[in-house]
Amino acid sequence: MAVILDGKRIADEILSDAQSRVEQCVRHGVRPKLAVILVGDHPASASYVRSKARAAERVGIATELVRLPETVSQATLLAEVDRLNAAPDVDGILVQLPLPSHISEHDVIERVDPAKDVDGFHPFNVGLQAAGRARVWPCTPLGILEMLRRSNLPVHGKHAVIVGRSQIVGRPMARVLLQEHATVTVCHSYTKDLRAYTASADLLVVAAGRPGLVRGDMVQPGAVVIDVGIHRVDGRIVGDVDFPSVEPVAGAITPVPGGVGPLTVAALMLNTVALCEQRRRPEGVSS
Ligand code: GUN
């Protein structure tokens, strides 16, 4: 029987910490502010954006939501990014992905001022992450790292296997875990004999976008299993991990929903405060 890692409870702890840091900023006359750009009304994206706004309100971060129609031109979207880059009171800019296919995500991500890149997706920040000098980590890997820390599950010296190599989760997760002294293997859809890797993982992070991909016979007894997937299948919400067969084998496991999702949102709040501290209170970050 695995320990169930309660993402909601750990996210609440992280949000309390973020709130204390927001209060410090406010005492110094600065209120952190997050701007979110949402293009179109994709229901999942709209729901994520709502939970980000709720969390920001809870911890005292100001928000600005920019809603643009699905048909918006790339030039108009880039002009909005430019406006937010230039706004002195905006600390973090998040462009909710995915974007419609007529818009280049690369061009938009690269237009965000790296000092306001709250997702840590800009190539400049990816370079700093790769160089071991990250200013911000992408929110999902950061949330997972915070959960492991706060659950007393050390990663140094462990074999961490990541299934999935997306820019949002898989790749930055690998950079985070390397920084934390894990031995890291990244698997993806072209990996031959996936089980050979997953079965040797002490820590298994699954972000493959395929419901139920990892089953109990693919997991080492006692492993820590983090499920980043979220899918609606036959009216139920499930992850990339087949929970019924993996939970009896694992040492600890995140549920879906209520695992990684709330942590991503909480980590976004940490990143917003961190960017505010770095940009507007460079002398007083820890005072
Ligand atoms: N869409 C899904 N996850 C994310 C994320 O972490 N950041 C952004 N900007 N869009 C997303």
Side-chain angles (χ1 to χ4, degrees), residues 18-33 60-61 91 272-278 280-281 284-285 287:
Q19 183 171 359
S20 307
R21 285 166 63 186
V22 169
E23 285 163 5
Q24 284 283 355
C25 292
V26 170
R27 274 197 283 281
H28 288 78
V30 171
R31 181 170 297 281
K33 181 168 176 181
I61 291 175
D91 298 292
T272 305
V273 182
L275 290 183
C276 177
E277 290 165 345
Q278 288 167 22
R280 294 204 271 175
R281 291 191 51 217
V285 164
S287 65

Side-chain angles (χ1 to χ4, degrees), residues 217-240:
D217 65 345
M218 299 168 72
V219 174
Q220 174 175 213
V224 175
V225 179
I226 308 292
D227 189 351
V228 184
I230 181 151
H231 314 272
R232 186 177 290 276
V233 175
D234 299 332
R236 284 188 318 124
I237 303 288
V238 298
D240 287 357

